[in-house]
Amino acid sequence: MKNIAILVYDLTVEYNIVVVDGILDFLKTKDDVHAIISSLNAPHATTFDYDYQYWSGLEILKSKNIDAAIVVTNSFCHNISIPGLGKELKCLAPKPVISISNPLDIPGNHYTCVSCKKAYEEIVEHLVKKHKRKKIAFLSAALNHSPESEERVKAYKAALKKFGLKYDPSWDLAGDFTPRSAYDAILNRYKKKEDIPFDALLCANDYMAAGAISALGDLGVKVPQDICVFGFDDAEVAVNSNPTISTINQFVAQTGYKAGELAYNLLNGKTKVPQKKAIQAFPMYRQSCGCISCSSNSKGYLNTDGELIEKSGNDMTQLGLFNNGLNDMATIYHLLNMSDTVIRIRAFFDLVIKNLNVVHIGMLAMCVYDTPIELNPEDNFVLPKKVRMVMLIDQERKIEQNYFDQDGIEFDPRKEILPGGLAELSKGNYYLLPIFLQKNNYGYLLCRFPTNKYPIYSIFLKILVNAFVHSYIYSKTEKERMIMAEKNQTLNFQSKTDELTQLFNRRGFFEYGQQLLEFSLIDETLGCVFFCDLDGLKTINDTWGHEIGDLAIKTEAKVLRAAFRDSDLIGRLSGDEFGVIAPGCPERLLETIRARFKEINKEFSEQAGLPFTLSISIGHVQYTSGQNDLSELLKEADKNLYKEKKLKHTQRDKA
């Protein structure tokens, strides 16, 4: 089984999605290949906080498990030059490295590219002969320093020269492939319609064409009557713009398909594999050049022969990325429940199994380093010599294993991505993602998913990673705390335990409670402190005697244990007063907790044979890094408890 890594900047951009789909379209016909996709962002990138962490995935893909790599080069151009990218990726050699759109300075590099020379010649000829336009300007992506944009400018200039048209450098405009950059480029240069010297504008991509059309409209310029506009890519925006955008289809998916073919042939020892595979682009004429009436509702285009093609050949719009979009959003909303509270790894594991079925992820492995690696933007990530797989779920192989309590399965990530390699994995598309939270890098995950809804999966996996990190930190800290507590308990159990309820007594609660607060805040986990008071203990003692009063206190202690989690700390502070520290418990669950108390009090009162139903009042306060003194927190919670008791008395008096 061959393993081919697919390296891309991210999978939320339309172009990147289509290219990756093209690669997978070829590989799906092969039974001896795994595709492992990784969104790398860029090394040392600081555009967004902590996105530089994604680049650590490259070190994992240097594993001996990986046989070849395919790189979507122009997806990285925003943050790194092509020579710089080639320098960073030389570490993959001598494995075959196939690049898309640009050659890389890596020994044995093969690549696919798009030839747009002929397409621009046809467009210029079309503008001159059909639309009588001879003053043709170009809006490039020069701000992005993109080799692709430079190729398009070069092809545009060559086409002008071929047809004897003047190239005027004063007409040059520059953006960065975004609509806003095109919009600003035009309005910064021209203040009114009469200032514009050209009658046709070619743009480096469709998004810039859409931005240009918007800016021209603000100046009172009509497209296509005053100025014909062309884009490039045949992106989704081209058919949804008003007017629809005439453009160049560069067979985006085909560049990926051919890259997959090159990689596969190289891995299988085929001779005479070409170093370069060029795909010919072709023009598509729509409303923005005047070939289709602006009053038409057609989403089609005219080809070079003037034939109307109603079903677009656009390989981007056929993806249906957000079909059933409401279902996708509902799924994400559902998955956000995973991050509602901080839970143990065991509970997290059960929740993951449940939610993987919802999003159709068939396999998931979570691997962690022994010690989190603090990574700053300027640092180079160094892959540890060992990693531990703490979780493996594989529905096809019927595996559901939580290895956390056994300290995971140890292996060397430089030799294999998972213990035993990838040979046992079912054929499919896999996604590798670093596990990190802010500066700390904890490990990585590998998962298999069946569809091309990469943006949805990117969101889901980010939710999953965040929830896992919090759960992992909490569980590791809890382990350490339990070991510490066990040692202390052996020596001091009697002195810190309430004899009647077997909860912590006041001394134990304050000692261990303050430690729990500090551990929680180190992990950046907030929570609540509760002050609880058994209602009517004096009346119970006066009416039924102190023996029943003691039974009421013991029963209420059981109620507290049932209402809160095992990881929460509970203590008896005095006769009828209890304290609770609940890390990761949000304030919005307070009403749920009250309802739970009412339900359990009724059930446990009956089980204990009490001649009445227990009732408890609670006050709470949320702790923070600035408010973390347990004594002060309990005082504040006690004040809030007093308000609840006062409300109960008022309601009882009214009744």
Side-chain angles (χ1 to χ4, degrees):
M1 184 70 78
K2 303 290 192 300
N3 301 306
I4 299 177
I6 301 172
L7 313 183
V8 61
Y9 184 86
D10 67 40
L11 278 172
T12 61
V13 176
E14 186 179 358
Y15 171 86
N16 300 346
I17 293 167
V18 177
V19 173
V20 171
D21 260 4
I23 300 169
L24 300 180
D25 196 38
F26 174 82
L27 296 181
K28 73 182 181 183
T29 64
K30 310 301 176 185
D31 294 326
D32 57 346
V33 176
H34 288 139
I36 301 173
I37 306 165
S38 185
S39 298
L40 293 182
N41 205 282
H44 315 299
T46 55
T47 307
F48 298 101
D49 289 344
Y50 313 113
D51 272 4
Y52 60 87
Q53 290 270 18
Y54 289 106
W55 191 255
S56 64
L58 178 63
E59 292 300 310
I60 300 158
L61 294 172
K62 287 162 59 177
S63 160
K64 292 180 180 179
N65 279 165
I66 298 300
D67 302 298
I70 299 174
V71 188
V72 186
T73 59
N74 57 340
S75 71
F76 293 92
C77 285
H78 285 279
N79 291 83
I80 187 171
S81 67
I82 294 301
L85 182 63
K87 184 178 179 181
E88 293 284 350
L89 298 181
K90 275 187 177 178
C91 61
L92 297 172
K95 298 171 184 177
V97 177
I98 297 84
S99 55
I100 295 172
S101 295
N102 300 282
L104 295 173
D105 184 17
I106 298 175
N109 173 237
H110 291 67
Y111 68 101
T112 64
C113 63
V114 174
S115 175
C116 59
K117 183 174 181 292
K118 185 178 177 182
Y120 274 115
E121 287 177 356
E122 291 182 11
I123 285 175
V124 170
E125 183 179 19
H126 176 84
L127 286 170
V128 171
K129 292 183 177 179
K130 183 165 183 177
H131 299 296
K132 311 303 179 187
R133 308 298 170 98
K134 294 185 179 181
K135 298 177 181 179
I136 306 172
F138 199 95
L139 175 51
S140 73
L143 299 182
N144 202 36
H145 307 292
S146 164
E148 280 192 312
S149 178
E150 292 170 9
E151 281 295 316
R152 293 168 196 178
V153 172
K154 191 183 298 182
Y156 148 75
K157 290 179 180 178
L160 291 184
K161 185 176 181 180
K162 180 176 179 178
F163 292 98
L165 298 180
K166 174 189 174 184
Y167 165 67
D168 191 333
S170 68
W171 297 353
D172 285 349
L173 294 161
D176 63 5
F177 282 134
T178 63
R180 182 72 198 196
S181 69
Y183 182 88
D184 290 342
I186 289 175
L187 294 186
N188 288 339
R189 175 78 62 85
Y190 305 111
K191 303 306 177 185
K192 57 183 184 297
K193 175 180 177 180
E194 292 73 21
D195 293 341
I196 301 175
F198 49 82
D199 54 19
L201 177 64
L202 310 186
C203 302
N205 76 346
D206 293 329
Y207 289 98
M208 293 177 72
I213 289 171
S214 179
L216 292 171
D218 287 354
L219 295 174
V221 176
K222 294 180 180 178
V223 175
Q225 294 91 330
D226 299 325
I227 295 179
C228 294
V229 175
F230 271 83
F232 197 106
D233 280 339
D234 191 26
E236 188 84 25
V237 67
V239 292
N240 291 322
S241 178
N242 184 18
T244 58
I245 298 173
S246 300
T247 187
I248 294 175
N249 188 315
Q250 60 169 324
F251 278 133
V252 174
Q254 191 71 0
T255 61
Y257 187 94
K258 290 298 180 182
E261 185 178 41
L262 287 174
Y264 187 79
N265 289 341
L266 287 167
L267 286 179
N268 284 279
K270 274 201 173 185
T271 58
K272 297 182 180 179
V273 177
Q275 185 180 13
K276 174 182 176 181
K277 191 71 177 179
I279 292 96
Q280 289 295 331
F282 66 90
M284 306 171 73
Y285 304 110
R286 294 195 177 102
Q287 293 174 343
S288 67
C289 73
C291 282
I292 294 179
S293 170
C294 289
S295 62
S296 171
N297 293 322
S298 173
K299 296 292 186 181
Y301 68 95
L302 297 184
N303 63 17
T304 305
D305 296 325
E307 299 171 324
L308 179 63
I309 311 298
E310 282 293 356
K311 186 176 181 181
S312 173
N314 177 4
D315 50 10
M316 291 187 176
T317 57
Q318 291 176 2
L319 286 177
L321 291 176
F322 295 99
N323 284 346
N324 301 315
L326 289 177
N327 289 336
D328 291 330
M329 293 303 108
T331 298
I332 290 173
Y333 182 79
H334 173 68
L335 295 175
L336 284 170
N337 291 331
M338 295 180 67
S339 57
D340 263 0
T341 58
V342 179
I343 56 178
R344 293 174 172 177
I345 283 287
R346 286 190 292 275
F348 174 83
F349 178 74
D350 293 338
L351 195 57
V352 167
I353 292 173
K354 178 181 177 182
N355 283 316
L356 288 191
N357 291 327
V358 174
V359 293
H360 310 296
I361 287 182
M363 175 268 177
L364 174 70
M366 309 288 277
C367 304
V368 298
Y369 310 126
D370 282 349
T371 304
I373 299 168
E374 183 176 320
L375 199 64
N376 294 297
E378 65 276 10
D379 298 336
N380 291 317
F381 179 79
V382 178
L383 185 66
K385 294 180 180 180
K386 64 179 180 179
V387 66
R388 298 176 189 273
M389 183 170 71
V390 294
M391 190 178 299
L392 176 63
I393 302 166
D394 193 332
Q395 295 176 351
E396 289 194 21
R397 292 191 287 162
K398 302 188 184 310
I399 297 173
E400 293 180 355
Q401 291 292 334
N402 175 13
Y403 302 109
F404 176 79
D405 290 335
Q406 292 78 44
D407 292 325
I409 298 176
E410 182 181 319
F411 64 99
D412 186 345
R414 297 167 302 173
K415 296 179 180 178
E416 51 190 10
I417 292 177
L418 294 180
L422 306 178
E424 296 298 317
L425 296 181
S426 304
K427 176 177 165 54
N429 305 323
Y430 290 82
Y431 192 86
L432 186 139
L433 182 72
I435 297 172
F436 66 89
L437 183 65
Q438 297 182 347
K439 290 184 179 181
N440 288 329
N441 193 306
Y442 292 87
Y444 60 90
L445 68 80
L446 186 72
C447 70
R448 182 180 67 246
F449 47 80
T451 76
N452 60 4
K453 293 188 176 183
Y454 310 115
I456 297 297
Y457 283 109
S458 296
I459 296 170
F460 166 68
L461 290 175
K462 188 60 180 172
I463 295 170
L464 182 72
V465 163
N466 288 349
F468 171 78
V469 170
H470 287 298
S471 179
Y472 177 71
I473 292 172
Y474 182 78
S475 296
K476 279 202 75 173
T477 305
E478 185 185 46
K479 260 188 178 182
E480 295 166 2
R481 188 178 70 246
M482 287 176 67
I483 293 170
M484 179 184 69
E486 188 175 349
K487 289 179 179 178
N488 289 339
Q489 194 173 34
T490 302
L491 299 173
N492 302 308
F493 182 78
Q494 293 297 328
S495 65
K496 296 176 183 176
T497 303
D498 177 61
E499 185 178 354
L500 179 64
T501 63
Q502 297 305 300
L503 298 174
F504 282 116
N505 60 20
R506 187 178 185 85
R507 177 185 171 190
F509 179 79
F510 272 89
E511 182 175 329
Y512 293 127
Q514 192 62 54
Q515 290 178 12
L516 178 58
L517 284 174
E518 290 168 4
F519 275 125
S520 175
L521 291 170
I522 288 172
D523 297 337
E524 299 182 358
T525 302
L526 304 182
C528 288
V529 172
F530 295 89
F531 195 97
C532 310
D533 183 88
L534 177 63
D535 292 333
L537 179 61
K538 184 177 185 306
T539 302
I540 292 171
N541 286 330
D542 292 345
T543 306
W544 286 284
H546 286 275
E547 186 176 337
I548 294 297
D550 286 349
L551 179 58
I553 292 170
K554 289 170 65 176
T555 304
E556 195 58 54
K558 293 178 182 178
V559 169
L560 287 165
R561 285 196 190 99
F564 289 97
R565 303 165 296 183
D566 291 344
S567 55
D568 299 329
L569 192 145
I570 307 170
R572 183 185 179 199
L573 305 181
S574 65
D576 57 356
E577 295 175 339
F578 301 86
V580 181
I581 302 172
C585 178
E587 286 185 293
R588 58 183 174 75
L589 291 182
L590 186 60
E591 292 308 315
T592 303
I593 292 170
R594 284 197 175 99
R596 180 105 172 106
F597 268 132
K598 188 174 182 180
E599 177 186 332
I600 301 174
N601 271 323
K602 186 175 185 299
E603 178 185 348
F604 282 27
S605 296
E606 291 174 357
Q607 289 178 3
L610 292 171
F612 48 81
T613 297
L614 291 169
S615 171
I616 194 168
S617 298
I618 60 173
H620 84 286
V621 64
Q622 187 173 54
Y623 61 82
T624 65
S625 57
Q627 187 179 12
N628 58 14
D629 181 86
L630 184 54
S631 296
E632 295 302 318
L633 289 166
L634 282 171
K635 289 178 184 177
E636 189 66 27
D638 188 19
K639 290 179 184 177
N640 292 331
L641 179 143
Y642 176 76
K643 294 176 184 176
E644 180 172 325
K645 280 201 173 274
K646 189 174 181 181
L647 180 62
K648 282 184 178 180
H649 286 308
T650 302
Q651 291 172 341
R652 193 180 302 122
D653 292 342
K654 287 182 179 179

